[in-house]
């Protein structure tokens, strides 16, 4: 997939490497887009420059009416941020729609922006909220409005030697309401068929300014300029909302593709715009008035296990299930392949190899990740837990001596059919239970939304997760698996 893996630890070093390698290198952080593209042979590259060890690039700041998001801010960081819920509400909603928990914990906003697909969920809310991006290279820094950044499908103004250092946007005011709506072919892990972001400024009941952006309807995400003009000075009564839905059809020339025909996109756009405006008219559109989905557990990093980012040089030294490993021939591999081929741990499965099925789910420094999307060097000096390490640790007996309660529940409930998806289901489900011993059905469904079972045994799998009672669980903070059986 790549020949050389570089992991600089300073911004200066990173920019020098970018200048040196230019088009031969690609930046990798969460890896959730880059590794999929490399698996598919899109934009092949010889060199990856891993920026996850850079200090001070993972932050969310609010200052004097402005929000700043560091280049390593993930979708999950946004979802969990009270500041973003207050000041960038539609962005939070969009982040909740991205992939699955295993993706949101790792995928960065910066990565989503530079991938530049018109279907990417975070572009439309950031465009509607008039965001700008800060690009940096050895030549200096430049600030570009997001509106000018996109040049076509997956084409941007980003130069090969530049790094997206920060996203800036004006914070929502008390007079504004925002909303993100997405139509996909399923509820999770779906690429948008169309999406729309609304940012309306009200003077009483009247719209005094409208910013509405549309995804998947043109080569880039676009503003619905005619609709924005129409809404100015209007009250959002039912007739106006209906009319707006009709008017927006004239602004787009949708594409036909595998997800939907142009006709379908045009007709559903009408419904999406009308519904969105009606919901805003009813007062939705801010953290105070709109309930977000339950926070997906199974994503919180285990702070006691987070490793200090470490420079990397060829040999991966890592701890897997409490045992130190030295992997000498895995630097060009995914973590999944390194686990299976180099560490001999074949419990984690490859179903799709591109982040769609969750069969490869493991914990990396306490977070659930899809190991097929993690470059193996990111496990250097980190702690990995695989299905082989899930069985509870009894100090006198070591790992694996007693089944994890969730494993037992899967057996008791008959939750296993062919078994291929089960390692991933267990790793995602056990992390959920570690973080919330009393999940409800919605949380369980969200936590497992990245895990697909081809035998379609979801009901019993969810029942098994919800079946575990307090008497069967006891948090053992000393254990990486954090659950022990009494
Ligand atoms: Fe990794 Fe399918 S998500 S193999
Ligand atoms: Fe067969 Fe899930 S039990 S894939």
């Amino acid at each position: 997939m790549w020949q050389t893996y570089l992991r600089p630890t300073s911004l200066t070093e990173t920019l020098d490497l970018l200048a040196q390698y230019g088009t031969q290198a690609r930046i990798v952080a969460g890896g959730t887009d880059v590794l999929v593209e490399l698996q598919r042979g899109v934009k092949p590259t010889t060199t990856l420059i891993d920026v996850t060890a850079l200090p001070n690039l993972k932050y969310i700041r609010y200052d004097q009416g402005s929000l700043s998001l560091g280049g390593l801010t993930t979708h999950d960081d946004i979802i969990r941020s009270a500041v973003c819920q207050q000041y960038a509400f539609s962005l939070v909603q969009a982040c909740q729609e991205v992939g699955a928990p295993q993706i949101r914990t790792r995928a960065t906003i910066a990565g989503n922006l530079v991938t530049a697909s018109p279907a990417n969920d975070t572009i439309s809310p950031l465009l509607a909220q008039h965001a700008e991006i800060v690009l940096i290279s050895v030549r200096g820094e430049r600030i570009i409005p997001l509106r000018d950044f996109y040049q076509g499908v997956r084409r941007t103004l980003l130069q090969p030697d530049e790094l997206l250092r920060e996203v800036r946007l004006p914070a929502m005011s008390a007079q504004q309401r925002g909303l993100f709506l997405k139509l996909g072919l399923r509820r999770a892990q779906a690429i948008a068929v169309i999406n729309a972001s609304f940012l309306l400024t009200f003077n009483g009941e009247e719209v005094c300014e409208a910013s509405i952006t549309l995804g998947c309807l043109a080569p880039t995400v676009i503003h619905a300029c005619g609709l924005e003009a129409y809404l100015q000075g209007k009250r959002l009564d039912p007739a106006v909302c209906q009319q707006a839905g009709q008017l927006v059809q004239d602004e787009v020339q949708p594409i036909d593709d595998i997800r939907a025909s142009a006709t379908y996109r045009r007709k559903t756009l009408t419904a999406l715009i009308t519904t969105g405006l009606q919901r805003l008219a009813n007062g939705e559109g801010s953290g105070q008035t709109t309930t977000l989905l339950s926070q997906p557990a199974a994503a919180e990093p285990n702070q006691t296990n987070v490793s200090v980012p470490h420079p990397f040089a060829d040999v991966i030294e890592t701890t897997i299930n409490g045992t130190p490993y030295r992997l000498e021939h895995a630097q060009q591999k995914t973590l999944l392949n390194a686990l299976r081929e180099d560490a001999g741990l074949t419990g984690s499965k490859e179903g799709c190899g591109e982040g769609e099925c969750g069969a490869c789910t493991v914990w990396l420094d306490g977070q659930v990740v899809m190991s097929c999307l993690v470059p193996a060097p990111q496990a250097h000096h980190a702690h990995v837990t695989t299905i082989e390490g899930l069985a509870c640790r009894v100090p006198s007996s070591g790992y694996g001596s007693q089944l994890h309660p969730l494993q037992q529940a899967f057996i008791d409930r008959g939750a296993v059919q062919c078994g291929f998806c089960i390692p991933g289901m267990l790793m995602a489900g056990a992390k959920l239970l570690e973080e919330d011993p009393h999940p409800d059905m919605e949380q369980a469904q969200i936590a497992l939304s990245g895990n697909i079972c081809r035998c379609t045994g979801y009901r019993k799998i969810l029942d098994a997760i919800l079946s575990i009672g307090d008497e069967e669980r006891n948090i053992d903070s000393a254990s990486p698996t954090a659950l022990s059986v009494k």
Side-chain angles (χ1 to χ4, degrees), residues 336 349-360 370 372:
L336 175 63
K349 307 301 184 199
E350 179 172 298
C352 64
E354 49 183 50
E356 292 287 341
C357 74
C360 63
M370 290 175 176
C372 69

mmCIF file of all heavy atoms in Angstrom, residues 336 349-360 370 372, ligand 1:
data_model
loop_
_atom_site.group_PDB
_atom_site.id
_atom_site.type_symbol
_atom_site.label_atom_id
_atom_site.label_comp_id
_atom_site.label_asym_id
_atom_site.label_seq_id
_atom_site.Cartn_x
_atom_site.Cartn_y
_atom_site.Cartn_z
ATOM 1 N N LEU A 336 -4.919 -4.352 11.051
ATOM 2 C CA LEU A 336 -5.581 -5.658 10.946
ATOM 3 C C LEU A 336 -4.615 -6.707 10.410
ATOM 4 O O LEU A 336 -4.477 -7.800 10.963
ATOM 5 C CB LEU A 336 -6.812 -5.551 10.032
ATOM 6 C CG LEU A 336 -7.523 -6.875 9.741
ATOM 7 C CD1 LEU A 336 -8.079 -7.496 11.006
ATOM 8 C CD2 LEU A 336 -8.633 -6.678 8.713
ATOM 9 N N LYS A 349 -11.394 -10.136 12.104
ATOM 10 C CA LYS A 349 -11.648 -10.614 10.738
ATOM 11 C C LYS A 349 -11.647 -9.477 9.731
ATOM 12 O O LYS A 349 -11.954 -8.339 10.063
ATOM 13 C CB LYS A 349 -13.015 -11.317 10.659
ATOM 14 C CG LYS A 349 -13.225 -12.428 11.673
ATOM 15 C CD LYS A 349 -12.194 -13.521 11.538
ATOM 16 C CE LYS A 349 -12.468 -14.667 12.490
ATOM 17 N NZ LYS A 349 -11.274 -15.517 12.696
ATOM 18 N N GLU A 350 -11.363 -9.837 8.471
ATOM 19 C CA GLU A 350 -11.533 -8.861 7.393
ATOM 20 C C GLU A 350 -12.781 -9.222 6.606
ATOM 21 O O GLU A 350 -12.820 -10.256 5.934
ATOM 22 C CB GLU A 350 -10.331 -8.836 6.453
ATOM 23 C CG GLU A 350 -10.569 -7.828 5.330
ATOM 24 C CD GLU A 350 -9.362 -7.582 4.457
ATOM 25 O OE1 GLU A 350 -8.344 -7.110 4.975
ATOM 26 O OE2 GLU A 350 -9.463 -7.854 3.250
ATOM 27 N N GLY A 351 -13.796 -8.350 6.721
ATOM 28 C CA GLY A 351 -15.005 -8.564 5.945
ATOM 29 C C GLY A 351 -14.981 -7.764 4.670
ATOM 30 O O GLY A 351 -15.285 -8.265 3.596
ATOM 31 N N CYS A 352 -14.595 -6.497 4.775
ATOM 32 C CA CYS A 352 -14.651 -5.611 3.616
ATOM 33 C C CYS A 352 -13.309 -4.958 3.323
ATOM 34 O O CYS A 352 -13.022 -4.606 2.194
ATOM 35 C CB CYS A 352 -15.698 -4.526 3.858
ATOM 36 S SG CYS A 352 -15.270 -3.439 5.242
ATOM 37 N N GLY A 353 -12.522 -4.751 4.352
ATOM 38 C CA GLY A 353 -11.224 -4.092 4.172
ATOM 39 C C GLY A 353 -11.325 -2.610 3.944
ATOM 40 O O GLY A 353 -10.318 -1.955 3.649
ATOM 41 N N GLU A 354 -12.504 -2.027 4.080
ATOM 42 C CA GLU A 354 -12.598 -0.578 3.874
ATOM 43 C C GLU A 354 -13.602 0.113 4.798
ATOM 44 O O GLU A 354 -14.290 1.047 4.414
ATOM 45 C CB GLU A 354 -12.883 -0.239 2.424
ATOM 46 C CG GLU A 354 -14.005 -0.996 1.771
ATOM 47 C CD GLU A 354 -14.142 -0.612 0.299
ATOM 48 O OE1 GLU A 354 -13.137 -0.617 -0.438
ATOM 49 O OE2 GLU A 354 -15.271 -0.282 -0.084
ATOM 50 N N GLY A 355 -13.682 -0.360 6.012
ATOM 51 C CA GLY A 355 -14.424 0.400 7.026
ATOM 52 C C GLY A 355 -15.929 0.280 6.977
ATOM 53 O O GLY A 355 -16.630 1.105 7.556
ATOM 54 N N GLU A 356 -16.444 -0.736 6.297
ATOM 55 C CA GLU A 356 -17.893 -0.830 6.146
ATOM 56 C C GLU A 356 -18.551 -1.845 7.078
ATOM 57 O O GLU A 356 -19.726 -1.742 7.374
ATOM 58 C CB GLU A 356 -18.239 -1.228 4.699
ATOM 59 C CG GLU A 356 -17.910 -0.166 3.662
ATOM 60 C CD GLU A 356 -18.882 1.009 3.706
ATOM 61 O OE1 GLU A 356 -19.979 0.859 4.266
ATOM 62 O OE2 GLU A 356 -18.529 2.076 3.187
ATOM 63 N N CYS A 357 -17.809 -2.868 7.528
ATOM 64 C CA CYS A 357 -18.488 -3.990 8.176
ATOM 65 C C CYS A 357 -18.213 -4.138 9.669
ATOM 66 O O CYS A 357 -18.980 -4.778 10.383
ATOM 67 C CB CYS A 357 -18.118 -5.294 7.472
ATOM 68 S SG CYS A 357 -16.446 -5.868 7.821
ATOM 69 N N GLY A 358 -17.101 -3.627 10.158
ATOM 70 C CA GLY A 358 -16.790 -3.684 11.585
ATOM 71 C C GLY A 358 -16.235 -5.010 12.072
ATOM 72 O O GLY A 358 -15.950 -5.153 13.262
ATOM 73 N N ALA A 359 -16.047 -5.985 11.182
ATOM 74 C CA ALA A 359 -15.548 -7.297 11.628
ATOM 75 C C ALA A 359 -14.138 -7.204 12.199
ATOM 76 O O ALA A 359 -13.704 -8.081 12.943
ATOM 77 C CB ALA A 359 -15.579 -8.285 10.460
ATOM 78 N N CYS A 360 -13.427 -6.146 11.843
ATOM 79 C CA CYS A 360 -12.034 -5.991 12.265
ATOM 80 C C CYS A 360 -11.897 -5.129 13.519
ATOM 81 O O CYS A 360 -10.792 -4.730 13.874
ATOM 82 C CB CYS A 360 -11.245 -5.347 11.132
ATOM 83 S SG CYS A 360 -11.853 -3.681 10.766
ATOM 84 N N MET A 370 -11.700 0.583 13.568
ATOM 85 C CA MET A 370 -11.709 -0.455 12.540
ATOM 86 C C MET A 370 -10.263 -0.660 12.139
ATOM 87 O O MET A 370 -9.644 0.205 11.512
ATOM 88 C CB MET A 370 -12.582 -0.023 11.376
ATOM 89 C CG MET A 370 -14.063 -0.025 11.769
ATOM 90 S SD MET A 370 -15.098 0.607 10.489
ATOM 91 C CE MET A 370 -16.730 0.367 11.187
ATOM 92 N N CYS A 372 -8.807 -2.270 9.947
ATOM 93 C CA CYS A 372 -8.439 -2.270 8.536
ATOM 94 C C CYS A 372 -8.163 -0.863 8.030
ATOM 95 O O CYS A 372 -7.637 -0.684 6.941
ATOM 96 C CB CYS A 372 -9.530 -2.926 7.686
ATOM 97 S SG CYS A 372 -11.058 -1.975 7.591
HETATM 98 FE FE1 LIG B 1 -12.605 -3.496 8.591
HETATM 99 FE FE2 LIG B 1 -14.773 -4.411 7.299
HETATM 100 S S1 LIG B 1 -14.555 -2.633 8.544
HETATM 101 S S2 LIG B 1 -12.831 -5.340 7.526
#
